[in-house]
Amino acid sequence: MPEMRVELGERSYPIVIAHRIMDDLGQELKKFGFSRTLALVSNPTVYGLYGSEVSRSVKSAGFDLAEVIIPDGEEYKTLRWVENIYGELLKARLDRKSAMIALGGGVIGDITGYAASTYMRGIDFVQVPTTLLAQVDSSVGGKTGVNHALGKNMIGTFWQPRLVWVDIATLETLPRREFLSGLAEVIKYGVIWDEKLFSFLEAHRDEVLRLDRGALEHIIRRSCEIKAEVVSKDERESGLRAILNFGHTVGHAIETATGYTKFLHGEAVAVGMCAAASLSQQAGLLDMGDVQRIRSLVLSYGLPAEIPDYIGMDSLLEAMKLDKKVVSGQLKFILPEKIGSVRIQQVSAGALQKALAAEKK
Ligand SMILES: NC(=O)c1ccc[n+]([C@@H]2O[C@H](COP(=O)([O-])OP(=O)(O)OC[C@H]3O[C@@H](n4cnc5c(N)ncnc54)[C@H](O)[C@@H]3O)[C@@H](O)[C@H]2O)c1
Ligand SMILES: [Zn+2]
C-alpha cells in the first residue's frame, strides 16, 4: 500500500490512502505496540455505516475494543462530551499505552484527539477520517479541540495521531453537499501551493464529481502531502502554517454572521477564497485572470463564490475582529500572488471593505 509520512521527528506518522481498507485496520494497529484495550469513538451515522467493519477488524487482530458513541453534530464537540468519553475510557480501563480510534468526520477527529491528548496526560490515537474535509485537512496536522459557548475551537491542544487511515470508499456514502464542501479545501491547496493540483481540478472535474477512484486518490494524496509538508515545517503555526487559513478569515466571519446554520465550512471558505483573491487583485498582487480562474473553479464545483445580500457588512467586519487569527487588532490575510503561491499580509479595514463589497451579490 502506498504510504506517505508527516515528518515530525519521533512524532512522525504515516498517512495511508486507499480504497476499501477498513478490514485491514486491525492488522495495521498490531505494529504499534499498543496495549490490549483500545477505544473507538464515533457517532451513530458513521458507526452505522462502518462501525461493525472496523470493530470486527480490530477485534480479530486480538484487541479488546470499548466503543464510545457520541451524538452526530458540531454541537456535541464540547467539554461535556469529552467528560463522557473519559468516563467510558476509565470504565474500560484504558491505560497509558492504550490508543483511541477516531472514526468519523472532523467533529469526531477533533474531540477524540482532544480526549486522547488529556486522558492520563496523553495517550495515542489514530485517525480514520470519513469525510473529504477530514481526509484532506482535519485528520492531518495534530490540531485537536472542542467548542466553548463563547467561541468555536477555543479549547484545544496540539497532539499528533500515530496513524491516519484514509479509506476513500467512505466518500461513496457521504452526502453530496458535504463532499463538495470538502473540495473547497482541496481547491485551497491548489491556490496556496500547487498550480498543478489546481489545473488537475480544472481538467478532471467530471471524474472528481463522479467519485472516480483514481482522481479522488490523487487529489486526497496531493492535499495530504501539502498539509504534511507545511505542518512539518511549522507544527505550531508560528508562521508558514497560517497559509492553510487562506479563505478562512472571511469564511469564518460568514459562518459566525450566519450562526453556523446556512453555510457548511467549505462553502464559507469557497466564498472567502474568492474574496481574498479580489482583495489581492485590488492590492495589485494578483492578475484579474487568476481571480477569474479561482472563481470559475469554485463555481464549477457547485460551491458559492459570493457573499449573499442578507449578510450585512457590519456583521462580517465585527465577526472578523473576533477571529482568533487576529493579532493585536491587525487583520492578517493570506493573499495569492499567482495560483500556487501566497503571501501573508496585513490588510486595512478600508481595503477589506472594498473587496467584500465586490463579492456581494
Ligand atoms: N483539527 C483541524 O485541523 C480541523 C481542520 C478543519 C476543520 N476541523 C473541524 O472539523 C469539523 C468539521 O468536520 P466535517 O466537515 O468532517 O463535519 P462532521 O464531522 O460533522 O461530518 C459531517 C457529517 O457527515 C457525516 N458523515 C461523516 N462521514 C460520513 C460518511 N462516510 N458517510 C455518510 N455520512 C458521513 C457526519 O456524521 C456528519 O453528519 C469542525 O468541527 C471543524 O472545526 C478541524
Ligand atoms: Zn477549513
Side-chain angles (χ1 to χ4, degrees):
M1 230 173 265
E3 192 178 286
M4 78 177 83
R5 288 177 76 74
V6 181
E7 296 297 344
L8 287 166
E10 59 184 19
R11 288 175 296 111
S12 298
Y13 54 95
I15 305 173
V16 177
I17 303 167
H19 192 262
R20 291 212 192 290
I21 51 170
M22 288 303 190
D23 278 347
D24 307 321
L25 180 62
Q27 281 307 319
E28 185 71 17
L29 295 180
K30 281 166 82 172
K31 299 179 187 165
F32 289 82
F34 300 137
S35 55
R36 190 190 167 93
T37 308
L38 307 183
L40 174 77
V41 180
S42 192
N43 71 30
T45 312
V46 179
Y47 187 85
L49 290 162
Y50 305 105
S52 54
E53 217 174 329
V54 169
S55 171
R56 201 180 328 115
S57 168
V58 172
K59 286 176 184 164
S60 64
F63 294 104
D64 293 330
L65 189 65
E67 297 183 348
V68 188
I69 305 297
I70 64 180
D72 187 357
E74 180 77 36
E75 63 270 41
Y76 304 101
K77 203 179 95 175
T78 59
L79 284 174
R80 171 188 284 244
W81 281 93
V82 172
E83 173 115 38
N84 289 346
I85 295 173
Y86 294 147
E88 297 302 318
L89 302 182
L90 288 166
K91 275 190 241 163
R93 298 183 185 280
L94 264 79
D95 61 41
R96 298 216 55 217
K97 297 200 86 187
S98 297
M100 299 175 73
I101 303 166
L103 174 68
V107 168
I108 292 294
D110 277 12
I111 194 171
T112 306
Y114 183 78
S117 72
T118 45
Y119 180 75
M120 295 193 171
R121 300 195 175 79
I123 63 170
D124 286 330
F125 85 117
V126 169
Q127 290 273 18
V128 186
T130 62
T131 64
L132 182 58
L133 178 127
Q135 295 177 352
V136 299
D137 189 358
S138 64
S139 69
V140 175
K143 280 191 184 177
T144 84
V146 293
N147 301 324
H148 186 276
L150 296 181
K152 230 186 141 258
N153 292 327
M154 285 296 157
I155 316 296
T157 54
F158 283 100
W159 192 249
Q160 301 292 342
R162 292 294 305 280
L163 167 71
V164 181
W165 192 254
V166 180
D167 185 341
I168 59 177
T170 57
L171 299 178
E172 289 158 19
T173 57
L174 189 67
R176 192 69 174 168
R177 203 178 152 202
E178 296 285 351
F179 175 72
L180 297 177
S181 173
L183 281 171
E185 303 284 359
V186 180
I187 295 173
K188 175 188 84 178
Y189 292 117
V191 177
I192 65 171
W193 200 262
D194 186 6
E195 200 272 338
K196 272 195 187 153
L197 174 60
F198 192 95
S199 313
F200 183 93
L201 290 167
E202 288 177 326
H204 299 276
R205 172 182 168 276
D206 294 350
E207 289 103 302
V208 171
L209 289 180
R210 82 171 114 84
L211 308 187
D212 172 82
R213 225 185 269 181
L216 283 183
E217 197 173 320
H218 176 72
I219 62 172
I220 295 170
R221 175 170 307 279
R222 204 46 212 126
S223 298
C224 286
E225 278 168 2
I226 294 166
K227 182 144 188 195
E229 190 174 346
V230 170
V231 168
S232 300
K233 290 188 171 132
D234 178 23
E235 185 183 11
R236 301 219 162 202
E237 201 167 320
S238 41
L240 180 70
R241 188 168 177 165
I243 68 171
L244 299 173
N245 296 321
F246 169 59
H248 282 61
T249 306
V250 170
H252 285 148
I254 291 173
E255 291 181 286
T256 306
T258 52
Y260 293 90
T261 54
K262 296 229 160 53
F263 284 76
L264 293 181
H265 174 71
E267 294 168 343
V269 168
V271 178
M273 291 192 292
C274 294
S278 294
L279 192 57
S280 194
Q281 189 265 329
Q282 286 172 19
L285 298 173
L286 184 69
D287 285 351
M288 196 42 134
D290 283 343
V291 179
Q292 297 295 5
R293 243 181 114 188
I294 294 171
R295 274 180 73 85
S296 305
L297 189 66
V298 159
L299 291 169
S300 77
Y301 278 98
L303 289 161
E306 279 149 0
I307 302 168
D309 259 345
Y310 60 80
I311 306 179
M313 185 74 79
D314 291 351
S315 59
L316 273 185
L317 291 171
E318 190 55 38
M320 274 181 250
K321 287 192 205 137
L322 298 173
D323 195 293
K324 69 178 171 212
K325 305 288 174 339
V326 176
V327 179
S328 52
Q330 294 271 31
L331 277 171
K332 259 200 203 161
F333 265 81
I334 316 302
L335 299 181
E337 301 173 307
K338 60 181 187 191
I339 289 170
S341 154
V342 284
R343 68 156 82 165
I344 304 176
Q345 191 159 306
Q346 310 279 1
V347 168
S348 73
L352 178 60
Q353 214 153 340
K354 199 170 150 210
L356 291 178
E359 290 310 305
K360 282 274 198 183
K361 263 192 216 162

